[in-house]
Amino acid sequence: MNKSFRKLVLVTGVVASTIGVPVSTQAALPFFNDSKKEVPSLAPMLEEAMPAVVSIAVEGTQTSRQEVPEMFRYFFGGPPEQTRERPFRGLGSGVIIDAEKGFVVTNAHVVDNADEITVKLADGREFSAKKLGADEQSDVALLKIEPDDLTALPLADSDEVRVGDFVVAIGNPFGLSQTVTSGIVSAMGRSGLNIGGIEDFIQTDAAINRGNSGGALVNLHGELVGINTAIFGPNGGNVGIGFAIPANMMNNLVEQIAEFGEVRRGLLGILGSNVDQGLAEAMNSEVNKGAFVSEVQPDSAAEEAGIKAGDIIVAINGKELNSFGELRAKISTMGAGAKVELTLVRKGERLSVDVVLDDATQKQVVAEQIHPALQGATLVAGTDPDGNEGILVSEVAEGSPAARIGLREEDIILAVGRQRVSSVMEFRDAIENTKGVIAMNVRRGNASLYVVIRQ
């Protein structure tokens, strides 16, 4: 059976499903019907939560580029690339998180390339929505509608969510609006799934299917735990493995979008890996999980805070870390300038350091710190002539390895393989996660080409 991760492209809404809870635990449920047979019910909670989950309809135009083979260009002339535009329509869902301001959160892929966005409330009212901004790497977008007697979901502290907590997914699977499914939290801090650029997912067995994307994952108090974003299963069907963006991560991102119109990603300035038993034994450490620091970048926030190579980061702001991927996701979704407390283990001793994060979108980096083949190049965030965000090659030393692989000054690196990159940090992560040949999609003037690094 071919299993694959798939983005959930339709979305919204809420089918009622109850959790079979033993009688002995009924008293612990915050929403409970004491009448008659005393059957536990989610209905009271859902009556409060459902109006905050909305349906999103989008219309727009998708542009695709296709390279024209050289032999046809020779015979018929014309540019090396041709573009095609085609209209599209889509459905999705979102969650109202601020009733007064009219803020609606959804997945970035739900509203990607949308020219018109219409938000439909559970009571049938419709509003034209404005896209305030989006972050493709974390798959979060913030919309605004004109406030008019709206209902918002309160946010849970997703750092306090535990494996085994009951949760309810509200969405629009296969276009079936107002559908509810229930389950538990199956795992926390899931990363390394290659679903997106930044991964720190809540895993749940609540049934999530195509169309739940952008919907709400709530706890039994009716608080927003996460935004449903992806599923794992054959042909995009539910097999009891779904993923949601934690509410805390989402909130960090939308606060930046609301203030700046974009995400100003934080940067710690370290390279590293997960801690496992083999690494722990090699470092003579009793710590078997966390983020191992293999290198501290010069003039970085980490260096200024006193972090050293060989340190193991075991907690962030007092919350235990399970992996380097979890640390990277939490740091990158915090805003530039954010103050963070990191707990380290160094030579068996536990200590805490305070870090003020750099701005990953503005930080200029000597490229050899990312890959030896890039030595001689200097990189900084930039945009191509069409306004697409990427990595600007601001300098290339003559005769350097970067020059020999074909990079030139003013090149804009747009992607590594098929993964789009819009910041130096995203570029570094994409390079680190690529095995074998690295193919960088480069915009040079009006031409698109690939620069290849053979490892």
Side-chain angles (χ1 to χ4, degrees), residues 360-364 379-383 390-392 422-424:
T361 61
Q362 300 297 325
K363 190 75 173 177
Q364 191 176 68
L379 308 176
V380 67
T383 57
I391 311 303
L392 170 65
S422 57
S423 71
V424 174

Side-chain angles (χ1 to χ4, degrees), residues 141-203:
L142 180 63
L143 311 179
K144 180 177 175 60
I145 58 178
E146 290 303 319
D148 184 10
D149 189 25
L150 303 177
T151 298
L153 274 183
L155 302 186
D157 181 355
S158 57
D159 288 336
E160 298 297 327
V161 174
R162 300 177 300 171
V163 173
D165 285 353
F166 287 115
V167 287
V168 177
I170 307 175
N172 182 32
F174 306 110
L176 300 173
S177 62
Q178 299 295 295
T179 298
V180 175
T181 54
S182 63
I184 63 170
V185 172
S186 305
M188 295 292 296
R190 287 296 194 201
S191 61
L193 306 175
N194 296 319
I195 299 174
I198 298 174
E199 300 179 348
D200 183 26
F201 294 118
I202 298 171
Q203 181 181 327

Side-chain angles (χ1 to χ4, degrees), residues 102-120:
F103 285 171
V104 178
V105 174
T106 186
N107 284 146
H109 73 265
V110 171
V111 294
D112 188 30
N113 296 319
D115 298 322
E116 296 182 15
I117 304 173
T118 302
V119 170
K120 184 177 181 180

Side-chain angles (χ1 to χ4, degrees), residues 20-75:
V21 181
V23 174
S24 61
T25 65
Q26 290 175 358
L29 288 174
F31 296 98
F32 177 69
N33 185 354
D34 290 321
S35 64
K36 297 182 180 180
K37 297 182 180 180
E38 298 187 346
V39 177
S41 174
L42 298 177
M45 178 273 286
L46 290 171
E47 288 171 359
E48 300 290 330
M50 286 165 53
V53 181
V54 302
S55 174
I56 298 175
V58 300
E59 295 185 20
T61 303
Q62 289 181 329
T63 301
S64 60
R65 290 188 176 91
Q66 184 175 11
E67 186 173 353
V68 179
E70 186 174 353
M71 63 177 295
F72 290 105
R73 298 202 302 268
Y74 177 81
F75 285 109

Side-chain angles (χ1 to χ4, degrees), residues 196-261:
I198 298 174
E199 300 179 348
D200 183 26
F201 294 118
I202 298 171
Q203 181 181 327
T204 179
D205 69 347
I208 296 176
N209 289 284
R210 297 173 69 94
N212 278 105
S213 188
L217 189 70
V218 301
N219 59 23
L220 296 189
H221 297 289
E223 298 169 328
L224 184 66
V225 170
I227 301 295
N228 299 320
T229 190
I231 54 178
F232 177 54
N235 302 317
N238 171 60
V239 292
I241 302 177
F243 299 96
I245 301 164
N248 289 0
M249 176 188 291
M250 175 276 294
N251 194 46
N252 286 336
L253 294 166
V254 299
E255 284 183 350
Q256 297 172 56
I257 294 172
E259 183 174 357
F260 306 114

Side-chain angles (χ1 to χ4, degrees), residues 155-372:
L155 302 186
D157 181 355
S158 57
D159 288 336
E160 298 297 327
V161 174
R162 300 177 300 171
V163 173
D165 285 353
F166 287 115
V167 287
V168 177
I170 307 175
N172 182 32
F174 306 110
L176 300 173
S177 62
Q178 299 295 295
T179 298
V180 175
T181 54
S182 63
I184 63 170
V185 172
S186 305
M188 295 292 296
R190 287 296 194 201
S191 61
L193 306 175
N194 296 319
I195 299 174
I198 298 174
E199 300 179 348
D200 183 26
F201 294 118
I202 298 171
Q203 181 181 327
T204 179
D205 69 347
I208 296 176
N209 289 284
R210 297 173 69 94
N212 278 105
S213 188
L217 189 70
V218 301
N219 59 23
L220 296 189
H221 297 289
E223 298 169 328
L224 184 66
V225 170
I227 301 295
N228 299 320
T229 190
I231 54 178
F232 177 54
N235 302 317
N238 171 60
V239 292
I241 302 177
F243 299 96
I245 301 164
N248 289 0
M249 176 188 291
M250 175 276 294
N251 194 46
N252 286 336
L253 294 166
V254 299
E255 284 183 350
Q256 297 172 56
I257 294 172
E259 183 174 357
F260 306 114
E262 63 181 0
V263 172
R264 297 187 176 179
R265 213 176 297 287
L267 178 66
L268 182 57
I270 63 171
L271 301 178
S273 61
N274 294 336
V275 177
D276 55 22
Q277 184 174 347
L279 181 58
E281 291 176 355
M283 297 299 296
N284 194 26
S285 172
E286 296 181 357
V287 177
N288 289 312
K289 63 180 181 178
F292 176 72
V293 181
S294 61
E295 182 181 345
V296 177
Q297 302 295 329
D299 302 319
S300 65
E303 184 182 60
E304 186 172 341
I307 298 174
K308 298 180 180 180
D311 287 347
I312 297 175
I313 303 174
V314 295
I316 178 171
N317 291 334
K319 305 297 182 182
E320 187 178 275
L321 281 173
N322 293 308
S323 66
F324 190 86
E326 184 180 354
L327 171 68
R328 179 169 53 192
K330 291 184 183 299
I331 290 294
S332 63
T333 52
M334 294 178 177
K339 296 180 180 179
V340 181
E341 180 188 22
L342 297 178
T343 304
L344 315 174
V345 173
R346 179 183 297 165
K347 297 180 179 179
E349 295 186 6
R350 200 176 183 95
L351 63 151
S352 295
V353 297
D354 294 323
V355 185
V356 178
L357 300 180
D358 289 327
D359 188 342
T361 61
Q362 300 297 325
K363 190 75 173 177
Q364 191 176 68
V365 173
V366 178
E368 65 184 285
Q369 298 172 358
I370 298 176
H371 194 283

